[in-house]
Amino acid sequence: MTKTETLSQPTIKKEIKRIEKLLKEKSVDEKIIKLNQHLIFQTAFMGLQLKKLAVDIDKNGVTEQYCNGANQYGIKKSASADVYGTMIKSYMTAQKQINDLIPKSESGTEKNDGFDDFCEKKQNNFLDDRK
């Protein structure tokens, strides 16, 4: 990445503010947001980097030609595609961690569908059978 392609501080700050706003709208306590500033920064940074990588992959494709000396040519996965594949996993993990900051009543997962009761009953039956 060249110097002209680097992410600007205002761009990162704008993405951080967007994430923080979403968390505040979902009733995440201000202290929790402050404690997770590094996670929010990393998520914002990776999200912006992934957008740039996606543009590069769209423009140049996921493969590139290589030459390893005399008469050794071939095609390999592009560096952008390789970095994208690795970074998207970290980004999704970070997104999940941010999502876990949202109180259950706000994330819509508080509704009892009976699954947790089922799992607890099965676990108790399993433990009883082991005695």
Side-chain angles (χ1 to χ4, degrees):
M1 182 180 297
T2 65
K3 285 187 178 182
T4 58
E5 295 174 337
T6 58
L7 295 171
S8 66
Q9 281 297 103
T11 306
I12 294 172
K13 285 182 180 180
K14 185 177 176 182
E15 183 66 9
I16 289 169
K17 293 292 181 198
R18 186 186 72 79
I19 294 169
E20 288 175 343
K21 181 182 174 199
L22 290 170
L23 289 172
K24 287 175 187 173
E25 288 173 359
K26 293 293 185 176
S27 303
V28 176
D29 188 83
E30 188 70 36
K31 291 177 187 176
I32 299 294
I33 293 172
K34 286 186 185 266
L35 283 171
N36 288 281
Q37 279 300 303
H38 186 70
L39 173 64
I40 293 168
F41 171 82
Q42 291 300 327
T43 304
F45 177 80
M46 284 189 286
L48 294 169
Q49 288 292 341
L50 286 166
K51 287 179 185 177
K52 286 186 171 216
L53 288 166
V55 169
D56 183 62
I57 292 167
D58 188 46
K59 179 181 174 187
N60 300 313
V62 294
T63 60
E64 60 190 10
Q65 291 184 347
Y66 71 91
C67 176
N68 282 347
N71 300 324
Q72 293 180 353
Y73 298 93
I75 296 176
K76 66 176 184 170
K77 181 168 46 169
S78 72
S80 292
D82 197 32
V83 170
Y84 186 90
T86 302
M87 189 178 288
I88 193 72
K89 292 175 189 172
S90 298
Y91 179 72
M92 295 307 293
T93 300
Q95 284 282 39
K96 182 180 181 335
Q97 289 174 327
I98 286 177
N99 191 50
D100 289 346
L101 298 175
I102 299 171
K104 288 189 185 244
S105 62
E106 286 291 324
S107 65
T109 58
E110 193 173 278
K111 180 182 172 188
N112 185 358
D113 60 2
F115 183 72
D116 291 333
D117 296 335
F118 172 79
C119 290
E120 187 176 326
K121 184 177 178 183
K122 287 293 183 183
Q123 183 178 11
N124 289 338
N125 288 343
F126 176 74
L127 293 174
D128 290 342
D129 289 345
R130 294 188 71 194
K131 289 182 182 179

